């Protein structure tokens, strides 16, 4: 199997600093949060960010969905360093410096667009038991500009070096034109472009940009809730996850040399994936309920593990096994963090 070289994997998204704390139901109710939801912060959430940092055990971790995934892919690959490239926008502030330092520690080749109009984005991860509710204040992440960053020759060269591309659906709210430029490049050069449904609100409120990118998507990721919302928005008229996967696979596609693959995770239930013409179920690794510390980042970790095998050109079964392994590691820890080395054979 080929050893991936530097910049083989390209990711672009919202770099956020995760602020995670254990909260109670009253805290969720106070700010109108649902269990296991992901939302964008609105005006009335401002106080939430001030309150959560006062909690007794607050932790800061480099986050943002796509950045988490490429970081985990890099961790799974180990050597060489900088197989993963990451683009996104941060502020010129302390949180931005933390993100730069964390990316470097994770051996990810991060090239941030830095601006000083907005502070670095944050994501409040409100943990209750084995549930988490995420509130993202994009701030700087929302300021990514195609013409000021992606279009620069030195940056576009890094995009061209890649063979596998991954962008979470969250970035559709920021720069759909950047996503399209990368997706078209992948499609025209028969490379692999992967995308994630990311959250129910993406299919609900950003359906138009999502469906503009869909013809270029070679691998579509999502979880059971996102899959159900996507199916509803597209009028699939089924809530059977295998059927939804099949219908999503058959949506129009530009590069016909590659059949689209759809991969839906379902927490502790089987992962469902289209393998050729069939829909196959892959059981996840067993874990004792008491060992689950924090499910935040499990989906990102699954994608990261999957991508680490994909860049080595492994079969889909292997990619899913790697995804299950990394998700299993991440949920035993707070935040999207990992031990020094993976123990994956």
């Amino acid at each position: 199997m080929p050893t991936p070289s530097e910049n083989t994997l390209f990711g672009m998204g919202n770099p956020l600093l995760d602020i995670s704390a254990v909260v109670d139901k009253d805290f969720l109710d106070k700010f109108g949060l649902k269990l296991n939801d992901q939302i964008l912060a609105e005006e009335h959430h401002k106080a939430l960010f001030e309150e959560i940092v006062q909690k007794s055990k607050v932790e800061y971790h480099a986050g943002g969905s796509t950045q988490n995934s490429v970081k985990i892919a890099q961790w799974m690959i180990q050597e060489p360093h900088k197989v993963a490239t990451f683009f996104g926008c941060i502020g010129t502030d302390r949180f931005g410096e933390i993100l730069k330092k964390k990316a470097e520690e994770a051996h990810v080749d991060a090239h941030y667009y830095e601006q000083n109009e907005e502070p670095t984005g944050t994501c409040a991860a409100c943990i209750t038991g084995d549930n988490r509710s995420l509130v993202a204040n994009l701030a700087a992440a929302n300021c990514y500009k195609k013409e000021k960053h992606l279009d620069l020759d030195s940056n576009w060269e890094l995009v061209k070096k890649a063979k596998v591309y991954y962008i979470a659906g969250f970035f559709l709210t920021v720069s759909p034109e950047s996503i399209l430029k990368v997706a078209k490049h992948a499609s025209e050069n028969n490379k692999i472009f992967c995308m994630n449904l990311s959250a129910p609100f993406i299919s609900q409120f950003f359906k138009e940009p999502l469906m503009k990118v869909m013809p270029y998507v070679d691998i579509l990721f999502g979880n059971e809730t996102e899959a159900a919302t996507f199916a509803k928005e597209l009028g699939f008229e089924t809530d059977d996850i295998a059927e939804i996967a099949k219908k999503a696979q058959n949506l129009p596609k530009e590069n016909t040399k590659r059949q689209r693959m759809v991969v839906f995770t379902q927490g502790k239930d089987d992962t469902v994936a289209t393998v050729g013409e069939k829909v196959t179920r892959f059981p996840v690794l067993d874990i004792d309920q008491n060992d689950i510390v924090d499910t935040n980042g499990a989906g990102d970790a699954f994608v990261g593990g999957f991508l680490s095998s994909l860049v080595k050109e492994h079969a889909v079964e292997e990619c899913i096994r790697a995804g299950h392994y990394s998700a299993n590691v991440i949920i035993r820890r707070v935040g999207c963090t990992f031990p020094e080395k993976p123990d994956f054979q």
Side-chain angles (χ1 to χ4, degrees):
M1 290 293 175
T3 304
S5 50
E6 278 191 15
N7 309 111
T8 300
L9 173 64
F10 176 83
M12 179 166 61
N14 300 331
L16 304 174
L17 190 74
D18 283 347
I19 305 171
S20 53
V22 173
V23 302
D24 53 21
K25 178 122 176 30
D26 291 346
F27 184 89
L28 295 185
D29 292 344
K30 179 177 176 181
F31 294 106
L33 305 180
K34 292 189 218 134
L35 292 174
N36 280 332
D37 201 12
Q38 308 97 311
I39 60 166
L40 292 178
E42 291 173 42
E43 202 48 50
H44 65 276
H45 294 117
K46 284 280 191 310
L48 179 152
F49 287 86
E50 284 152 27
E51 242 179 81
I52 199 164
V53 296
Q54 308 305 329
K55 295 273 170 203
S56 54
K57 279 168 55 180
V58 59
E59 299 205 20
Y60 294 90
H61 299 285
S65 184
T66 305
Q67 186 166 245
N68 281 343
S69 294
V70 298
K71 198 185 294 178
I72 284 179
Q74 181 63 55
W75 170 71
M76 287 283 283
I77 292 163
Q78 290 283 310
E79 301 278 335
H81 290 165
K82 298 189 171 180
V83 167
T85 315
F86 178 76
F87 286 5
C89 182
I90 58 173
T92 46
D93 51 23
R94 187 172 68 92
F95 283 176
E97 288 307 311
I98 294 173
L99 284 187
K100 284 202 273 195
K101 189 167 145 283
K102 295 284 186 191
E104 204 175 314
E105 283 168 7
H107 309 299
V108 168
D109 194 14
H111 293 257
Y112 296 114
Y113 168 48
E114 296 180 49
Q115 50 73 60
N116 53 17
E117 280 160 41
E118 285 280 346
T120 296
T122 49
C123 179
C126 311
I127 318 289
T128 48
D130 58 2
N131 290 304
R132 54 100 184 106
S133 194
L134 307 180
V135 185
N137 180 25
L138 296 183
N142 212 11
C143 301
Y144 189 83
K145 299 278 183 286
K146 174 178 167 287
E147 58 286 354
K148 288 194 175 164
H149 195 263
L150 186 68
D151 292 346
L152 302 183
D153 289 347
S154 57
N155 289 334
W156 189 249
E157 281 306 312
L158 287 168
V159 176
K160 291 194 331 203
K161 267 178 91 172
K163 295 192 175 109
V164 175
Y165 301 83
Y166 174 66
I167 301 177
F170 289 125
F171 202 56
L172 286 163
T173 76
V174 174
S175 185
E177 58 285 353
S178 295
I179 302 177
L180 270 173
K181 182 173 181 178
V182 172
K184 284 177 178 172
H185 166 80
S187 178
E188 285 158 12
N189 294 277
N190 196 28
K191 299 184 198 176
I192 304 172
F193 182 79
C194 316
M195 192 143 193
N196 203 316
L197 292 174
S198 290
F201 82 83
I202 298 293
S203 295
Q204 287 167 315
F205 306 114
F206 295 88
K207 184 170 120 184
E208 193 186 347
L210 173 65
M211 294 320 288
K212 269 200 181 123
V213 179
M214 198 57 69
Y216 304 101
V217 176
D218 295 299
I219 303 177
L220 181 67
F221 295 103
N223 67 22
E224 73 280 34
T225 326
E226 293 147 14
T229 308
F230 181 67
K232 201 170 141 203
E233 289 300 321
L234 283 161
F236 283 176
E237 293 181 347
T238 177
D239 48 17
D240 177 282
I241 191 130
E243 262 184 71
I244 296 171
K246 196 77 203 133
K247 284 183 185 257
Q249 180 187 34
N250 291 330
L251 288 167
K253 191 164 187 304
E254 278 292 321
N255 177 14
T256 50
K257 292 194 196 93
R258 292 183 187 277
Q259 185 180 28
R260 180 179 295 122
M261 186 193 299
V262 179
V263 185
F264 290 146
T265 56
Q266 308 186 82
K268 62 183 185 307
D269 296 326
D270 295 356
T271 293
V272 170
T274 59
V275 183
E277 296 308 315
K278 295 201 301 286
V279 178
T280 313
R281 291 176 182 270
F282 298 87
V284 301
L285 295 165
D286 282 336
I287 186 167
D288 186 324
Q289 214 48 30
N290 299 324
D291 292 335
I292 299 177
V293 174
D294 173 8
T295 56
N296 184 24
D300 296 338
F302 171 82
V303 171
F306 188 104
L307 295 171
S308 72
S309 277
L310 187 65
V311 296
K312 294 176 187 164
E313 297 175 24
H314 289 172
V316 57
E317 294 77 3
E318 241 344 80
C319 295
I320 289 174
R321 197 170 72 84
H324 285 165
Y325 168 79
S326 38
N328 186 275
V329 169
I330 287 334
I331 57 180
R332 298 167 189 267
R333 308 165 69 92
V334 173
C336 203
T337 60
F338 34 82
E340 195 188 337
K341 284 196 159 74
D343 174 25
F344 178 70
Q345 271 82 42

